[in-house]
Amino acid sequence: MTLFDLTGKRALVTGSSRGLGFSVAAALGRHGATVILNGRDDGPLNQAVVKLRDEGIDAHPARFDLTDADAATAAIGQAVQVVGSVDILVNNAGIQLRKPFLDFALEDWRMILDVHLIGSVVAAKAVLPGMVERQAGKIINICSLMSELGRPTIAPYASAKGALRMLTRNLAVEFARHNIQVNGIGPGYFATELNRALMDDPEFDSFVKRRTPAARWGHPDELGGAAVFLASAASDFVNGQIIYVDGGLLAAV
């Protein structure tokens, strides 16, 4: 059990005021980590912190927008002053737009790449110097099935998630000698508020259940196990890998 014990560790989870980010933060906290939750809006962010504190988890808010690199870096620095060094970074913040490729403006592309890819770079650059100094650290990038597959109407999102997959591997190679492991998690289709419109669409709901061997949507709490594994000593020799938590979708023809 000590392999998965995160007592004394401090974890920053971006985009964690709701959805999968909140579930990941909760899982890390339940295994002993102090968690720093991040969001852009004070209301949902503070509510999420209260929920975790009600469970006995040591949780703290850090409001910042990753598309403002200077403000995000400063906010992470302030959180470190309050909580202590970041031992675990989970890059989860993301957005989604759905349009035919020809309808996407360049501004849409820049916005989506800014959040998913550049935002992950901003957060990593803010915590990696401390990890190098301590010669220890874990970074977990939340990738996607679209890091491997394509679908109509989400070209910018899939491109960003594919780039995040390669950022994961490049950082793993560059920082492995500092005892820093950089890995990713690729969620399948999960039942979250962000996916509510898709779940309520009978055609898309049927597609997900047919395409996924488990024949259902994932539950948000089912992502936590992979996150705890990659954040803990159990994965100290695992580096540059993406764990797909998808009910078997990628394994199926």
Side-chain angles (χ1 to χ4, degrees):
M1 291 296 293
T2 57
L3 275 178
F4 302 95
D5 184 11
L6 300 177
T7 301
K9 303 295 184 181
R10 282 138 328 227
L12 167 62
V13 185
T14 67
S16 51
S17 58
R18 62 175 183 165
L20 295 182
F22 178 79
S23 295
V24 166
L28 299 179
R30 288 167 188 152
H31 282 75
T34 293
V35 293
I36 304 167
L37 274 65
N38 158 250
R40 295 183 296 180
D41 300 318
D42 281 326
L45 178 60
N46 291 332
Q47 290 173 14
V49 169
V50 168
K51 285 181 184 178
L52 294 190
R53 287 179 177 173
D54 285 345
E55 284 192 42
I57 294 170
D58 186 13
H60 302 264
R63 184 177 66 82
F64 58 84
D65 184 340
L66 281 163
T67 61
D68 185 338
D70 291 340
T73 301
I76 294 171
Q78 291 170 1
V80 167
Q81 290 179 3
V82 173
V83 176
S85 56
V86 173
D87 305 294
I88 303 157
L89 168 65
V90 182
N91 280 314
N92 171 76
I95 56 172
Q96 174 66 292
L97 292 177
R98 292 181 173 86
K99 300 179 188 179
F101 173 80
L102 293 177
D103 291 345
F104 275 108
L106 287 179
E107 290 75 14
D108 297 327
W109 279 86
R110 291 188 181 103
M111 178 177 64
I112 292 171
L113 287 166
D114 229 16
V115 174
H116 289 278
L117 178 61
I118 305 303
S120 297
V121 171
V122 168
K125 284 174 68 69
V127 304
L128 272 167
M131 291 180 175
V132 170
E133 182 179 351
R134 295 186 302 279
Q135 292 291 286
K138 304 276 188 176
I139 296 178
I140 304 168
N141 292 324
I142 303 302
C143 298
S144 168
L145 291 176
M146 304 312 147
S147 297
E148 302 284 351
L149 302 173
R151 273 190 61 78
T153 75
I154 58 167
Y157 177 86
S159 299
K161 289 299 190 180
L164 190 58
R165 169 175 168 262
M166 291 311 301
L167 176 67
T168 300
R169 292 182 172 175
N170 275 270
L171 292 181
V173 170
E174 186 163 344
F175 290 94
R177 63 191 179 92
H178 298 291
N179 190 34
I180 296 168
Q181 293 82 51
V182 185
N183 292 288
I185 299 174
Y189 289 100
F190 275 75
T192 66
E193 282 305 308
L194 192 64
N195 285 331
R196 175 54 56 190
L198 299 179
M199 295 167 61
D200 290 342
D201 180 339
E203 184 177 349
F204 198 89
D205 178 63
S206 176
F207 160 76
V208 167
K209 291 172 180 174
R210 289 196 316 271
R211 183 68 176 84
T212 304
R216 63 175 177 85
W217 294 74
H219 303 300
D221 287 347
E222 293 178 305
L223 203 66
V228 170
F229 167 65
L230 292 177
S232 71
S235 63
D236 280 354
F237 204 55
V238 178
N239 216 355
Q241 304 303 308
I242 313 295
I243 298 177
Y244 288 96
V245 185
D246 64 356
L249 191 153
L250 275 179
V253 175

